[in-house]
Amino acid sequence: MKDWLYGLKKTTRDIGYQLTQRMKKKQLMWAERDSSIKERYFVSSAVQFVLDEEFDHDDPITVEMMPLYQCLHINEKLGRRAEFRRSFTEDRSDQLNLILASPVQFVLTNLTSFASMLHDIIGFFIVEHNIMASAPDFRSKSDVDALWETGIAKLSDIIARNIQTIREDSEVAGVLQEMLTTFTYVMEENANDVRKLRELMMAIFES
């Protein structure tokens, strides 16, 4: 089980990167779609997602879950399901904390560190939603929502600590806004509550 959890580190980043790239392509398509409309009006991202369904032919993102299911089955047979669930919850919380403790720099030449953090967060929660969907009696929506709240709070703290640096460099602010916008769309498309993310972006870029 520990090996599977450790292996998720690379898997989650790859998932996050793939979904980010897919969303960037969608954003370009949205811009082309909007530019073809003569009357200007706001089309929400939720509506854009629905409009995209007809043209979205990307392969679904898959996560290897068999090691988790095997461990769950073994622990159920041993009568240790509750203990295993607690241990798994702690391990996943620790993994999220490690992601959010990664060093990042808000300088134009090294924004890749922050991009990697966003990819890790995306991948982390894709795995969580996969577990929740396939084993809802093991991983509940409230479990995932609690992690999401923690993640957004810590992400907000990271940005708040660097807000002066971000605002002093318009190029950094511009790139960061694009990154956070794409990140928000990815998380929204995958059923996460992004209201606090939008509030964060308004506080940074519209104040």
Side-chain angles (χ1 to χ4, degrees):
M1 188 63 199
K2 292 291 184 183
D3 290 341
W4 180 73
L5 286 171
Y6 180 78
L8 284 180
K9 182 177 180 180
K10 181 179 186 303
T11 301
T12 53
R13 182 166 295 183
D14 289 344
I15 290 171
Y17 176 79
Q18 289 180 49
L19 291 179
T20 298
Q21 295 306 113
R22 290 183 185 184
M23 184 54 66
K24 286 180 179 179
K25 292 179 182 178
K26 288 184 179 182
Q27 287 174 273
L28 290 174
M29 186 168 64
W30 295 353
E32 292 174 2
R33 180 187 294 151
D34 290 346
S35 67
S36 69
I37 299 173
K38 293 182 180 179
E39 295 182 8
R40 294 184 61 81
Y41 61 88
F42 175 74
V43 180
S44 72
S45 53
V47 173
Q48 298 278 23
F49 293 146
V50 172
L51 293 173
D52 287 344
E53 287 179 358
E54 182 181 352
F55 307 101
D56 193 351
H57 303 302
D58 288 322
D59 293 331
I61 298 292
T62 58
V63 181
E64 174 55 61
M65 293 292 182
M66 188 56 66
L68 172 62
Y69 299 149
Q70 290 173 338
C71 285
L72 181 56
H73 177 71
I74 292 169
N75 280 277
E76 282 180 339
K77 291 294 185 181
L78 295 174
R80 298 173 53 186
R81 178 187 175 87
E83 181 182 342
F84 176 63
R85 187 174 185 274
R86 283 194 299 272
S87 174
F88 183 83
T89 298
E90 290 172 1
D91 286 340
R92 289 297 282 164
S93 179
D94 288 345
Q95 282 195 320
L96 181 59
N97 288 333
L98 283 173
I99 289 171
L100 291 158
S102 303
V104 294
Q105 291 184 316
F106 292 94
V107 293
L108 197 59
T109 56
N110 196 21
L111 282 173
T112 53
S113 58
F114 187 67
S116 294
M117 176 182 284
L118 295 182
H119 296 159
D120 287 343
I121 295 171
I122 291 169
F124 178 92
F125 283 100
I126 292 300
V127 171
E128 285 294 313
H129 280 283
N130 270 267
I131 298 171
M132 182 177 68
S134 59
D137 56 339
F138 174 70
R139 199 71 169 150
S140 69
K141 186 176 185 301
S142 61
D143 292 332
V144 179
D145 287 347
L147 282 172
W148 176 243
E149 289 293 319
T150 297
I152 292 305
K154 291 189 175 182
L155 183 63
S156 298
D157 286 343
I158 291 168
I159 294 173
R161 291 196 303 269
N162 294 275
I163 193 65
Q164 185 173 349
T165 301
I166 294 167
R167 287 179 170 171
E168 285 176 350
D169 191 324
S170 60
E171 287 187 272
V172 168
V175 174
L176 187 61
Q177 185 173 15
E178 291 179 4
M179 291 167 62
L180 286 171
T181 298
T182 302
F183 173 73
T184 300
Y185 286 148
V186 173
M187 300 312 294
E188 182 181 20
E189 188 177 36
N190 287 280
N192 292 277
D193 186 343
V194 297
R195 286 174 295 182
K196 289 186 177 179
L197 267 176
R198 296 198 190 286
E199 290 171 3
L200 172 63
M201 291 182 64
M202 288 180 65
I204 299 169
F205 304 112
E206 299 182 20
S207 59

